[in-house]
Amino acid sequence: MENERWDVLLDLAINEAWKYQFLTYPNPAVGASLVIKNKVFVSAHKKAGSPHAEVNVLWDAFSFFHKTPKFTDSFEIHEYLIKHHNNFFNEAEMFVTLEPCSHIGKTPSCANLLKVLKPKSVTIGIKDPIKSHSGGVEILKNAGIEVNLLNDKRCFDLIEPFIKWSKDKFIFFKLAQSFNGAITGGYISSEDSLNWVHKVRDKIDLLVIGGNTVRIDRPTLDARRVNGKAPDILIYSKNKNFDKNIPLFKVKNRKVFIEDSLEEINDYKFIMIEGGENLYKKLKDFVDWKVFIVTPKIFDRINYKLEDSFKILHVEKRDDLIVFGK
Amino acid sequence: MENERWDVLLDLAINEAWKYQFLTYPNPAVGASLVIKNKVFVSAHKKAGSPHAEVNVLWDAFSFFHKTPKFTDSFEIHEYLIKHHNNFFNEAEMFVTLEPCSHIGKTPSCANLLKVLKPKSVTIGIKDPIKSHSGGVEILKNAGIEVNLLNDKRCFDLIEPFIKWSKDKFIFFKLAQSFNGAITGGYISSEDSLNWVHKVRDKIDLLVIGGNTVRIDRPTLDARRVNGKAPDILIYSKNKNFDKNIPLFKVKNRKVFIEDSLEEINDYKFIMIEGGENLYKKLKDFVDWKVFIVTPKIFDRINYKLEDSFKILHVEKRDDLIVFGK
């Protein structure tokens, strides 16, 4: 056999997790898949406080084969599965991008749940790098579950933002461009991408933006498309003179800094820089990741120009491409 | 349950097929996946004359669970499976992007093989649009196999080149660009992409290129990186004066046309246009697809500029992105 391709189950978990990258803040992006009775289920952790990836995929599988209540709360699902599993999962093979958690936080411990449900095997992308969360592997092994611990580079990439914002801060640069590199001359991205940006703005602590963008576009920079919270704003500008009627200054419960340094960033954990050519040039070696929203349109307009290169971590194909680079 | 996600098996088959898009000429790109004993297998048709997707995935699965000879020939695999399957596949669920073929060509009929192996179910992306190939669904149903016939738009996209080159011809425009739309100033694509282009050149009948590119780059335009055959060349140019020492003129067993019309194209079935801004402008509404090789590098160079938009059919994430658009 040319390729041993049942590892596609981990690929599926990784790809599903990327769909919720940034949106799980302050939690990591985690995906899981499960094969049971020749059916494949895939899910992810979608939002802090909501069920972990493992719980979502276990519940999807259980609900497919059984009549179940419509639970969305982790504690309810854990309790229900522990009471009603009836050894249903004993032949299941599970794949998860990150070691199942051993600690009880906003949701109960996944490792303790798996210990009871006893799937045949759990294949794990990487160990949890946060000491206080790890220990899941031991719990599973002690329960007699076959554990395959991989050391998959892609699963590290997936949680790099989490590692960084947990320890200190994570900063990414977002740029919206046409397919041929035009970034000026009105809205470029699709509605779908604009909604995604608002979802991300709802999660970040601080949004950094250049002075000229504020003066020319007169933006609001909130998350109104998703009824989300508006992040604090740092206008990175030497010239501190702005028309205070620009909508971004009118948003309630938001701080706005106007500074010619980036020092304010140090008080925040999850920071997006929305910029163009100038900010990109200045900050390209300063940021952790770059995220490009690339629209499948070619314009008769000039491109942004600078020298840079990056590794593509992931591409989400939506109406536009969302390209995560490092 | 929020999503019924066992349809990911078809997604896997579709994505696997795209890896071999164009390379299966004159056959269609087809992918297949199979779940058996809680293991997932995914494969594709890789090359005309080699086993079909269904046969590859059946053989992968059978070889994983049994000691088997190292067969690569379709007839050998068919014969071996028919003789030794011992009802192994009866619980298997198969997914295939295109209706299993009913006709015997260079390889035996997949529908007849499945009829014997009798998997539990076969889920099919689309019916075979070529009348003489269809009939697979009926063969499977008559054998008592559960058949789910979808009508999946993505499976049509996958075989659009095949439909076009079977009936008349398929033409695509290939452009290699930096992430910010620069296309001039030396090699832009990765080694991996250059190799891919050579693999494609080995399959196409005719390569169309602009006169200036020939004069400036003095290319060979063959498939030497993969020891493949060099396609015929149409230099699309008003000025018919070329230095005959340019390497492309020295390649054996190749026709080279120098024309200011595209009429020669009508004698060919699978045509790639490798061009830049000018050819793109001229031919953007003439071609069936556009294929962009997008390198994750940003250059301090000017972009190509024109007005166009397309739908992204598929993105292959390799060292570069290969973006298939329509």
Side-chain angles (χ1 to χ4, degrees):
Chain A
M1 178 168 49
E2 190 179 319
N3 288 308
E4 298 190 346
R5 288 312 305 267
W6 65 95
D7 56 3
V8 291
L9 273 296
L10 188 68
D11 301 355
L12 286 173
I14 291 172
N15 286 333
E16 194 67 16
W18 274 104
K19 293 184 187 163
Y20 302 91
Q21 183 61 276
F22 299 159
L23 307 181
T24 59
Y25 177 79
N27 288 352
V30 182
S33 58
L34 185 87
V35 202
I36 186 163
K37 297 183 186 293
N38 281 348
K39 297 286 182 199
V40 176
F41 299 86
V42 186
S43 196
H45 180 47
K46 296 172 186 176
K47 193 181 155 174
S50 79
H52 285 184
E54 300 92 321
V55 177
N56 275 329
V57 85
L58 290 164
W59 189 238
D60 281 356
F62 196 78
S63 302
F64 178 71
F65 287 105
H66 303 84
K67 199 169 158 46
T68 52
K70 285 204 185 308
F71 287 153
T72 54
D73 175 80
S74 274
F75 279 99
E76 283 180 325
I77 297 174
H78 277 244
E79 205 176 302
Y80 191 92
L81 285 177
I82 285 172
K83 208 180 269 180
H84 298 92
H85 70 90
N86 197 18
N87 296 324
F88 170 71
F89 290 104
N90 290 172
E91 287 306 309
E93 310 215 12
M94 177 180 260
F95 297 73
V96 58
T97 58
L98 181 65
E99 182 181 13
C101 65
S102 62
H103 78 303
I104 300 171
K106 280 185 193 165
T107 62
S109 151
C110 291
N112 282 327
L113 176 60
L114 288 167
K115 183 175 81 176
V116 177
L117 304 185
K118 266 206 167 192
K120 185 178 167 216
S121 73
V122 179
T123 300
I124 298 171
I126 52 170
K127 273 215 138 195
D128 196 318
I130 309 275
K131 275 263 166 76
S132 63
H133 294 189
S134 75
V137 166
E138 285 64 36
I139 293 175
L140 301 182
K141 280 188 177 165
N142 290 340
I145 297 166
E146 175 193 331
V147 176
N148 306 303
L149 182 57
L150 312 175
N151 206 6
D152 192 299
K153 177 81 189 61
R154 298 168 304 164
C155 297
F156 277 112
D157 291 340
L158 200 48
I159 62 161
E160 190 183 318
F162 165 73
I163 304 279
K164 294 224 152 126
W165 68 48
S166 297
K167 286 188 182 162
D168 178 20
K169 58 180 174 294
F170 175 77
I171 309 172
F172 73 99
F173 190 92
K174 186 223 89 181
L175 184 106
Q177 64 165 78
S178 77
F179 213 77
N180 64 330
I183 57 172
T184 53
Y187 277 117
I188 286 176
S189 309
S190 67
E191 284 293 309
D192 173 65
S193 296
L194 294 172
N195 289 337
W196 182 79
V197 169
H198 278 232
K199 276 189 198 166
V200 174
R201 280 191 192 149
D202 176 42
K203 300 300 175 193
I204 55 171
D205 298 317
L206 180 71
L207 194 164
V208 180
I209 193 147
N212 279 338
T213 306
V214 172
R215 284 189 193 92
I216 296 166
D217 294 351
R218 302 178 66 87
T220 312
L221 301 176
D222 61 3
R224 63 193 175 281
R225 285 168 171 266
V226 297
N227 292 317
K229 72 165 180 37
D232 289 352
I233 302 282
L234 168 59
I235 303 174
Y236 185 48
S237 175
K238 278 204 173 115
N239 175 346
K240 296 184 178 172
N241 195 15
F242 289 90
D243 175 359
K244 289 294 167 23
N245 286 318
I246 292 173
L248 80 83
F249 292 104
K250 311 260 183 180
V251 175
K252 277 180 194 159
N253 302 319
R254 138 186 292 175
K255 288 185 200 154
V256 180
F257 307 96
I258 306 174
E259 305 281 354
D260 56 2
S261 95
L262 292 170
E263 252 174 63
E264 289 296 345
I265 279 184
N266 293 318
D267 289 339
Y268 292 89
K269 299 224 145 268
F270 185 21
I271 299 125
M272 169 159 72
I273 303 173
E274 295 194 52
E277 184 175 306
N278 286 335
L279 267 192
Y280 193 143
K281 272 184 198 162
K282 267 185 206 148
L283 304 178
K284 70 190 169 81
D285 299 322
F286 174 76
V287 301
D288 297 307
W289 283 12
K290 288 142 195 171
V291 177
F292 301 87
I293 300 177
V294 183
T295 300
K297 288 181 183 166
I298 297 171
F299 294 137
D300 191 5
R301 300 184 204 159
I302 203 144
N303 57 341
Y304 64 103
K305 284 192 270 314
L306 53 99
E307 291 286 331
D308 194 21
S309 69
F310 52 92
K311 197 188 137 212
I312 297 169
L313 300 174
H314 182 74
V315 181
E316 270 298 300
K317 178 181 163 297
R318 301 165 60 129
D319 290 352
D320 301 330
L321 300 180
I322 302 179
V323 180
F324 297 83
K326 187 188 168 179
Chain B
M1 179 167 48
E2 189 179 321
N3 289 308
E4 298 190 346
R5 288 312 305 267
W6 63 96
D7 56 3
V8 291
L9 273 296
L10 187 69
D11 300 355
L12 286 173
I14 291 173
N15 285 334
E16 193 67 14
W18 274 104
K19 293 184 185 162
Y20 302 91
Q21 183 61 277
F22 300 158
L23 306 181
T24 59
Y25 178 79
N27 289 351
V30 182
S33 58
L34 185 87
V35 202
I36 186 164
K37 296 183 186 292
N38 281 349
K39 295 286 181 199
V40 176
F41 299 86
V42 186
S43 196
H45 180 47
K46 295 172 186 175
K47 195 182 153 172
S50 79
H52 285 184
E54 299 91 320
V55 178
N56 276 329
V57 83
L58 290 164
W59 189 238
D60 281 355
F62 196 78
S63 302
F64 178 72
F65 287 105
H66 304 85
K67 199 169 158 46
T68 53
K70 285 206 185 308
F71 288 151
T72 55
D73 176 80
S74 274
F75 280 99
E76 284 180 325
I77 297 174
H78 277 244
E79 206 176 301
Y80 191 92
L81 285 177
I82 285 171
K83 209 180 267 178
H84 298 94
H85 70 90
N86 198 18
N87 295 325
F88 170 72
F89 291 102
N90 290 173
E91 288 305 310
E93 311 216 12
M94 177 179 260
F95 297 74
V96 58
T97 58
L98 182 66
E99 183 181 13
C101 65
S102 62
H103 78 303
I104 298 171
K106 281 185 191 165
T107 61
S109 150
C110 290
N112 283 326
L113 176 60
L114 289 167
K115 184 175 79 175
V116 178
L117 303 185
K118 266 207 166 187
K120 185 178 168 217
S121 72
V122 179
T123 300
I124 297 171
I126 52 169
K127 273 216 138 195
D128 196 319
I130 309 276
K131 275 262 166 76
S132 63
H133 293 190
S134 77
V137 166
E138 285 63 36
I139 295 175
L140 301 182
K141 280 187 178 166
N142 290 339
I145 297 165
E146 175 192 331
V147 176
N148 306 303
L149 182 56
L150 312 176
N151 206 7
D152 193 298
K153 177 79 190 61
R154 298 168 303 163
C155 296
F156 277 112
D157 291 340
L158 201 48
I159 63 160
E160 189 183 320
F162 165 74
I163 304 278
K164 295 223 151 126
W165 68 49
S166 297
K167 287 189 182 161
D168 178 19
K169 58 180 174 294
F170 175 77
I171 309 170
F172 73 98
F173 190 93
K174 186 223 90 182
L175 184 107
Q177 65 164 78
S178 76
F179 213 78
N180 63 331
I183 58 172
T184 53
Y187 278 116
I188 286 177
S189 309
S190 68
E191 283 293 309
D192 172 65
S193 296
L194 295 171
N195 289 337
W196 182 78
V197 170
H198 279 232
K199 276 188 198 167
V200 174
R201 282 191 191 150
D202 177 43
K203 300 300 174 193
I204 55 172
D205 298 318
L206 181 70
L207 193 164
V208 180
I209 192 148
N212 279 338
T213 307
V214 172
R215 286 189 192 92
I216 296 167
D217 293 351
R218 302 178 67 87
T220 312
L221 301 176
D222 62 2
R224 63 194 174 280
R225 284 169 171 266
V226 297
N227 293 315
K229 71 166 181 37
D232 289 352
I233 302 282
L234 167 59
I235 303 174
Y236 186 49
S237 174
K238 279 205 171 114
N239 175 347
K240 295 183 179 172
N241 196 17
F242 288 90
D243 176 358
K244 288 294 169 20
N245 286 318
I246 291 173
L248 77 86
F249 293 104
K250 312 261 183 180
V251 176
K252 278 179 192 159
N253 301 320
R254 136 185 295 176
K255 289 184 201 156
V256 180
F257 307 96
I258 307 174
E259 305 283 354
D260 55 3
S261 95
L262 291 170
E263 253 174 62
E264 288 296 344
I265 279 185
N266 294 318
D267 289 339
Y268 292 89
K269 299 223 145 270
F270 185 22
I271 299 124
M272 169 160 71
I273 302 172
E274 294 194 51
E277 184 174 305
N278 287 334
L279 269 192
Y280 193 144
K281 273 184 198 163
K282 268 184 205 147
L283 304 178
K284 70 190 169 82
D285 298 323
F286 174 76
V287 301
D288 297 308
W289 282 11
K290 288 142 195 171
V291 177
F292 301 86
I293 300 177
V294 183
T295 300
K297 287 180 184 167
I298 298 171
F299 293 137
D300 191 4
R301 299 183 206 160
I302 204 145
N303 57 340
Y304 63 104
K305 283 192 270 314
L306 53 98
E307 291 286 332
D308 194 21
S309 70
F310 53 92
K311 196 189 138 212
I312 297 169
L313 301 173
H314 182 74
V315 181
E316 271 297 300
K317 179 183 162 296
R318 301 165 59 128
D319 290 353
D320 300 331
L321 301 181
I322 301 180
V323 181
F324 296 83
K326 187 189 168 178

